[in-house]
Amino acid sequence: MDFCDCSSLQLTSIPSTLPRQMKGLDLSNNLIQTISDDELKPYENLRVLCLYGNEIHSITNNSFQSLQNLEELDLSYNKLPILSSDWFGGLHKLRQLNLLGNHYTLLGEKPLFSTLPSLRNLKFGNLEFSALSKQDFDDFRSVYKVVHTIKSVTCTDSKVFLMPCDFSRSFKMMTFLDLSGNVLTDMFLESTTCYLDGFGAWPSVQTLNVSRNLLSSLTRVSKALSKIPSLTYIDLSQNMFGDTTSCIWPKNLLYLNISDCKLKLIDNCIPVTLEILDVSANHLEKFTSNLTNLKELYISNNRLAMLPGNAYLPSLTLLVIRENSLHEFFQSDLGHFPNLTRLDAGDNIYFCSCQFVDLAKQHNQILLGWPENYICDSPPSVRGYQIKDAHLPILMCHRTLVVTVSCIASILVLAIIVLLCHCLHCIWYAKMTWAWLKAKRMPLRVSKTVMSFDAFISYSEMDSEWVENMMIPQLENGAHPLRVCIHKRDFVPGKWIIDNIIDAMERSHKTLFILSEHFVQSEWCKYELEFSHFRLFDENNDTAILVVLEPIEKATIPKRFCKLRKLMNTKTYLEWPSEEEEQHIFWDKLKAAVQQEGNPEIEPTI
């Protein structure tokens, strides 16, 4: 049997009945308090011995002397008040030794590790541990010859504030050093790394953890570590760095952790060689560094309101930007990171606009924590919803399209209304109706028994030569002259033309309409004819006399002159003859028609 697991069995001592040939023994988490000289003698073949988590407070000097083949010894988290070099006298093959979490304050008065030539991995320290001082190691001068082969050292959660420069230089092969949870300051770190003595400390260290110490200047720390040639990984998290100016870092640095350090500005202090950077849990409001090799950026729990698009990060594949102040991000923002394959942007205060919701759903395959960590904060209609379940009104999502369609529809409706108004003469009818209503409200200004004219002549200006040169002389001259009204001569200057038309019709017994193609195209003839409709036909008068000056098709008369069309269909009208001998008859008939209901009490014109 190579390995015996006797952990967590409430044992108070090391059993004596275990297999003699076993090579591994786990006695962790029992109640063992002491180890005597004879308890381990039967197990000389042991290579691994784990006594972690017991209550050991006493070990006799020869307890491990029989374990000449032992390679790993774990005495961590017991109650040892002191450490003795006599314990390790015969452990020439011991490679790993763990002394963490006991009650010692110093490493001892004699060289503790001088008899351990094969030691490669050493862990020591506790909350009561006070210091590693130069004087202490002058007691351990022989250790300098031993530690040069150690590859890994962990001394955490103790009170270590200094490692003497000569001792640091002795770790020739050490690749891993963990001094987290101690009380290192900027000045003592400079001394520990031999910064004040020309460098040379830890020439092979690749990984350094000095998190949870008392470091306060990132500039000083970077310079203190700048000459460690193999250093690629540095953890400076949970220190209290103030403002930074410029920094000098190891030339091969690939990983830097400066999270939870209360930093407000960091852009001028980031090494350009980095592939992984953690600046989470700081007070950053922007990030604009140019890092061409950076592949992973952890910047959660800061105060960023947008993705770091102003930074130059062409190689970035992972961006963790949780718990910031992001409201939204767009395709243009993602375009700054051409190689991004994973984005963790959960737990932000998202404004779920239509564009952002569509983008998030479209790129959900790269969003880590999707969909449970992506929640809408606004607008109120979707607050508390997962972005994947946010459904927004069409007006909000397609406002431009809706506005465009509405505008086009409005323009079309307006165009149709204008077209209909034009085709149906609605505007003209509206004008006429308004003028007629206005005229209807006027009191009758002229008594039917007191008239100024026998007839008002409505004609087109294009027919004025015939009216003025032939018709008017025939009516106003002769044995029984008539008084006729024409606009050129009898309208009152300066008076609104509509009022002139109304007055002329009211002061005339008859209204003569000289119909021609020109008449039906004349705007003012339309007014006059329409007022005749409204004023005269509405009063059931028969005062309109139609004179057809030239052959005119009834179909050419505008449809809005419905009463005129009806009148031409139901009443005889006079036609101007082309034969001269028939023209005398025409004039006689016209005079007779005008005089038919004429009244001799004609006021003189003014």
Side-chain angles (χ1 to χ4, degrees):
M1 184 175 183
D2 289 339
F3 189 85
C4 184
D5 184 0
C6 296
S7 62
S8 304
L9 297 178
Q10 304 294 311
L11 299 176
T12 58
S13 62
I14 299 176
S16 60
T17 59
L18 298 175
R20 298 293 190 268
Q21 300 302 316
M22 65 180 177
K23 297 180 180 180
L25 174 58
D26 184 358
L27 292 169
S28 62
N29 296 313
N30 282 292
L31 302 175
I32 301 173
Q33 297 185 6
T34 62
I35 302 178
S36 64
D37 289 348
D38 299 326
E39 287 184 282
L40 291 170
K41 277 186 177 181
Y43 310 119
E44 59 184 17
N45 292 319
L46 276 179
R47 295 183 181 180
V48 177
L49 175 59
C50 179
L51 292 164
Y52 163 88
N54 280 274
E55 298 181 2
I56 300 173
H57 57 79
S58 174
I59 301 176
T60 59
N61 290 341
N62 297 318
S63 295
F64 304 126
Q65 293 300 314
S66 61
L67 305 180
Q68 300 295 315
N69 295 314
L70 193 66
E71 297 178 359
E72 298 181 20
L73 175 59
D74 188 346
L75 293 170
S76 62
Y77 297 96
N78 282 281
K79 297 181 179 180
L80 293 170
I82 60 172
L83 300 177
S84 173
S85 60
D86 294 334
W87 298 345
F88 313 122
L91 305 182
H92 301 294
K93 295 183 179 180
L94 190 68
R95 300 176 60 85
Q96 297 185 32
L97 174 60
N98 190 344
L99 299 171
L100 288 172
N102 284 277
H103 294 172
Y104 53 85
T105 58
L106 297 172
L107 292 181
E109 297 179 355
K110 296 180 180 181
L112 186 63
F113 311 113
S114 60
T115 60
L116 300 174
S118 301
L119 190 63
R120 296 293 181 269
N121 191 320
L122 172 63
K123 296 182 180 181
F124 62 90
N126 54 68
L127 295 177
E128 288 79 26
F129 192 69
S130 58
L132 288 173
S133 65
K134 184 175 182 181
Q135 180 179 356
D136 292 333
F137 289 108
D138 289 337
D139 291 334
F140 308 143
R141 185 61 61 181
S142 59
V143 174
Y144 289 13
K145 298 179 181 179
V146 176
V147 299
H148 77 279
T149 61
I150 294 177
K151 293 185 177 181
S152 175
V153 174
T154 299
C155 181
T156 62
D157 297 306
S158 301
K159 296 180 180 178
V160 175
F161 62 88
L162 176 66
M163 182 184 293
C165 175
D166 289 343
F167 189 51
S168 296
R169 285 173 171 165
S170 300
F171 288 93
K172 299 295 184 179
M173 300 180 63
M174 181 174 64
T175 60
F176 177 91
L177 176 59
D178 185 353
L179 296 175
S180 60
N182 287 291
V183 289
L184 288 169
T185 63
D186 301 335
M187 182 179 66
F188 286 123
L189 180 64
E190 289 172 340
S191 179
T192 297
T193 60
C194 303
Y195 174 75
L196 303 177
D197 297 294
F199 297 101
W202 311 329
S204 301
V205 167
Q206 299 176 5
T207 299
L208 173 63
N209 187 345
V210 287
S211 63
R212 297 185 292 115
N213 277 274
L214 302 178
L215 305 175
S216 60
S217 173
L218 192 57
T219 299
R220 292 182 66 179
V221 169
S222 68
K223 291 179 180 178
L225 303 176
S226 61
K227 297 299 183 178
I228 302 177
S230 301
L231 196 56
T232 59
Y233 180 111
I234 299 178
D235 188 345
L236 299 172
S237 61
Q238 300 183 60
N239 283 283
M240 290 290 292
F241 295 121
D243 294 336
T244 60
T245 53
S246 61
C247 299
I248 301 175
W249 296 95
K251 63 180 180 179
N252 296 317
L253 193 62
L254 300 178
Y255 177 97
L256 178 61
N257 185 346
I258 43 178
S259 62
D260 198 9
C261 291
K262 307 300 184 289
L263 289 164
K264 295 181 179 179
L265 296 173
I266 194 63
D267 295 322
N268 295 327
C269 214
I270 302 296
V272 297
T273 57
L274 286 184
E275 293 185 357
I276 301 174
L277 172 63
D278 190 343
V279 289
S280 302
N282 283 292
H283 298 160
L284 301 178
E285 296 182 357
K286 62 178 181 177
F287 185 85
T288 59
S289 298
N290 294 334
L291 304 172
T292 56
N293 298 321
L294 194 68
K295 297 179 180 179
E296 299 181 11
L297 173 60
Y298 300 84
I299 197 168
S300 298
N301 196 15
N302 278 280
R303 301 173 181 176
L304 278 71
M306 61 181 68
L307 299 183
N310 292 328
Y312 182 62
L313 308 171
S315 302
L316 196 68
T317 60
L318 170 63
L319 174 58
V320 180
I321 193 169
R322 298 169 55 87
E323 300 180 61
N324 276 272
S325 300
L326 267 67
H327 294 296
E328 55 189 354
F329 52 86
F330 303 102
Q331 184 63 49
S332 57
D333 298 317
L334 296 178
H336 292 288
F337 316 110
N339 292 306
L340 191 68
T341 57
R342 294 175 294 164
L343 172 62
D344 189 347
D347 299 322
N348 280 285
I349 49 176
Y350 285 118
F351 173 76
C352 288
S353 65
C354 301
Q355 184 178 1
F356 172 66
V357 170
D358 290 343
L359 180 69
K361 293 179 179 178
Q362 179 182 356
H363 291 279
N364 67 78
Q365 69 277 5
I366 71 169
L367 296 178
L368 301 180
W370 176 271
E372 58 273 9
N373 295 334
Y374 296 82
I375 308 297
C376 295
D377 183 69
S378 58
S381 60
V382 293
R383 179 173 296 155
Y385 284 75
Q386 291 183 359
I387 292 177
K388 75 177 184 65
D389 297 325
H391 300 289
L392 300 166
I394 187 171
L395 179 60
M396 182 178 178
C397 293
H398 304 285
R399 183 172 301 173
T400 301
L401 177 61
V402 171
V403 171
T404 301
V405 172
S406 299
C407 289
I408 293 174
S410 300
I411 292 172
L412 289 175
V413 170
L414 183 60
I416 291 172
I417 292 174
V418 171
L419 181 62
L420 289 175
C421 288
H422 175 74
C423 295
L424 302 177
H425 309 284
C426 296
I427 298 177
W428 189 82
Y429 275 119
K431 290 181 179 178
M432 292 300 99
T433 302
W434 171 249
W436 176 77
L437 291 174
K438 183 177 178 182
K440 290 284 284 185
R441 290 196 300 269
M442 294 179 185
L444 192 59
R445 293 169 291 182
V446 180
S447 172
K448 292 186 178 180
T449 59
V450 180
M451 309 292 279
S452 299
F453 304 100
D454 291 299
F456 167 65
I457 304 177
S458 175
Y459 62 95
S460 168
E461 186 63 30
M462 301 298 292
D463 300 322
S464 60
E465 182 177 355
W466 184 86
V467 172
E468 296 169 7
N469 294 336
M470 297 184 67
M471 182 180 222
I472 292 177
Q474 286 289 339
L475 296 179
E476 292 187 338
N477 299 325
H480 300 286
L482 302 172
R483 294 291 306 276
V484 296
C485 176
I486 61 174
H487 63 273
K488 282 186 179 180
R489 182 182 67 190
D490 300 305
F491 278 9
V492 178
K495 192 174 184 179
W496 190 34
I497 191 168
I498 299 297
D499 286 339
N500 270 319
I501 293 173
I502 294 173
D503 287 343
M505 289 186 173
E506 288 181 343
R507 291 178 177 274
S508 302
H509 287 289
K510 302 284 187 177
T511 301
L512 272 66
F513 293 102
I514 310 304
L515 302 181
S516 67
E517 293 289 344
H518 301 304
F519 181 92
V520 297
Q521 301 300 324
S522 170
E523 187 69 24
W524 288 114
C525 291
K526 296 173 186 177
Y527 278 116
E528 292 162 357
L529 185 57
E530 191 64 24
F531 276 115
S532 172
H533 290 173
F534 284 130
R535 190 75 180 181
L536 303 178
F537 296 167
D538 187 60
E539 297 174 0
N540 295 318
N541 289 322
D542 194 15
T543 58
I545 300 175
L546 306 182
V547 177
V548 179
L549 185 60
E550 60 184 3
I552 181 172
E553 295 292 334
K554 294 178 183 179
T556 63
I557 300 175
K559 294 182 180 180
R560 59 183 176 276
F561 298 151
C562 55
K563 290 189 177 180
L564 175 60
R565 296 167 62 86
K566 182 178 180 181
L567 189 63
M568 292 185 69
N569 288 329
T570 59
K571 187 175 179 180
T572 303
Y573 48 84
L574 297 174
E575 293 188 35
W576 172 248
S578 58
E579 299 296 332
E580 185 176 351
E581 59 272 11
E582 296 178 0
Q583 293 176 359
H584 294 290
I585 300 173
F586 170 82
W587 295 122
D588 291 338
K589 289 182 179 180
L590 179 59
K591 292 176 182 179
V594 173
Q595 293 175 340
Q596 186 176 0
E597 295 181 1
N599 194 311
E601 296 186 35
I602 302 296
E603 286 186 348
T605 56
I606 298 177

